[in-house]
């Protein structure tokens, strides 16, 4: 897949396995090598980014790669019924869903009389690898903690699944003093993986038996390259 992305990024995509013969060979069944959960953004079609063909990837797409029961069930189907051994959670640079939720968080904070910017005391950049288990180790003082407790409660009560999911990721990043949009996107990928594993016994069992590997990745619109994230 990374070799395919390298072809795509440099303008040498081969568009493999997209011919009539391949299509006909897949009529009776499919055996994809990987499952990909990605954002629905029209600029981020996984098969094109990885220069793959028919039957190569089982893809599930939602705005901001947000999880719900249908998404989890689809990925469980890929693992259980199709024998997929690799699951990629693919976010991307300049994610409109993340940007929209950032704006919504500012509105929620303003309505609650909270200065969210002040609570994020220092900006950390170039943090390509983020561990969700230790994400909160760099959290701020008690006043800031109180602010984030209030904000997390408000976000959890939102009617929007985007705000509840991506908003929690953004707040986790800000609480760890990661205040750039790139960091928000990376943290959201990490937390999506964490949520997937926590909510699915099937994925947990696949990981425990080493039949399944889950990898986080982020597509860079500016270069066409895939940034692999280790969690």
């Amino acid at each position: 897949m990374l070799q395919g992305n390298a072809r795509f990024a440099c303008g040498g995509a081969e568009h493999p396995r997209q011919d009539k013969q391949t299509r006909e060979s897949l009529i009776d069944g499919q055996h994809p090598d990987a499952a990909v959960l990605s954002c629905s953004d029209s600029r981020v079609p996984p098969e094109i980014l990885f220069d793959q063909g028919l039957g190569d990837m089982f893809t599930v797409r939602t705005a901001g790669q947000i999880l719900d029961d249908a998404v989890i069930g689809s990925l469980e189907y890929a693992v259980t019924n199709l024998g997929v051994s690799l699951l990629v959670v693919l976010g991307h640079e300049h994610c409109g869903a993340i940007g929209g939720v950032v704006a919504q968080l500012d509105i929620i904070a303003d309505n609650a009389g909270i200065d969210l910017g002040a609570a994020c005391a220092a900006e950390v950049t170039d943090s390509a690898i983020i561990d969700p288990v230790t994400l909160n180790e760099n959290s701020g003082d008690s006043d800031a903690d109180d602010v984030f407790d209030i904000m997390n409660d408000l976000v959890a009560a939102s009617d929007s699944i985007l705000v509840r999911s991506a908003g929690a990721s953004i707040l986790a990043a800000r609480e760890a003093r990661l205040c750039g949009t790139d960091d928000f996107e990376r943290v959201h990928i990490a937390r999506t993986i964490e949520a997937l594993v926590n909510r699915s016994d099937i994925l947990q069992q696949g990981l425990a038996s080493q039949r399944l590997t889950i990898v986080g990745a982020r597509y860079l619109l500016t270069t066409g390259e895939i940034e692999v994230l280790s969690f």
Side-chain angles (χ1 to χ4, degrees):
M1 289 172 66
L2 289 177
Q3 290 176 348
N5 174 248
R7 294 194 301 268
F8 167 79
C10 73
E14 296 175 356
H15 311 291
R17 296 173 295 282
Q18 298 179 22
D19 57 348
K20 179 175 180 290
Q21 181 179 358
T22 300
R23 174 179 60 79
E24 291 176 344
S25 73
L26 294 168
I27 291 173
D28 294 328
Q30 57 173 319
H31 304 283
D33 296 319
V36 179
L37 169 61
S38 77
C39 183
S40 297
D41 192 300
S42 63
R43 301 166 295 177
V44 190
E47 291 87 351
I48 294 177
L49 305 184
F50 289 106
D51 195 24
Q52 299 297 298
L54 295 171
D56 289 338
M57 299 196 311
F58 183 94
T59 59
V60 179
R61 303 182 66 184
T62 62
Q65 62 272 2
I66 299 297
L67 300 180
D68 63 13
D69 289 345
V71 169
I72 294 171
S74 296
L75 295 173
E76 289 177 339
Y77 171 81
V79 172
T80 302
N81 294 71
L82 303 180
V84 164
S85 60
L86 174 64
L87 168 56
V88 179
V89 176
L90 179 66
H92 67 95
E93 187 180 31
H94 303 318
C95 179
I98 296 294
V101 173
V102 169
Q104 287 297 311
L105 290 184
D106 289 339
I107 293 172
I108 292 171
D110 287 345
N111 289 340
I114 292 173
D115 186 350
L116 193 56
C120 183
E123 184 170 335
V124 178
T125 58
D126 297 327
S127 51
I129 299 178
I130 300 168
D131 183 355
V133 176
T134 60
L135 194 58
N136 293 324
E137 289 184 356
N138 296 323
S139 59
D141 57 26
S142 58
D143 290 340
D145 289 343
D146 290 342
V147 167
F148 285 111
D149 286 343
I150 295 169
M151 284 297 300
N152 276 304
D153 287 343
L154 293 172
V155 164
S158 173
D159 293 333
S160 167
I161 189 173
L162 274 169
V163 171
R164 293 196 303 272
S165 178
S169 297
I170 293 165
L171 289 176
R174 282 183 159 171
E175 191 169 4
R177 294 193 173 93
L178 304 174
C179 298
T181 302
D182 290 348
D183 288 320
F184 296 160
E185 293 162 356
R186 294 178 182 124
V187 169
H188 183 54
I189 294 165
R191 287 175 59 90
T192 300
I193 292 173
E194 186 178 28
L196 262 176
V197 175
N198 288 338
R199 293 174 61 178
S200 172
D201 291 340
I202 289 174
L203 299 186
Q204 288 179 28
Q205 293 165 7
L207 290 170
S209 64
Q210 298 185 338
R211 291 183 292 104
L212 176 67
T213 299
I214 302 179
V215 175
R218 178 169 166 265
Y219 171 59
L220 305 179
L221 273 70
T222 49
T223 66
E225 298 174 337
I226 297 292
E227 173 187 38
V228 178
L229 308 175
S230 299
F231 305 118

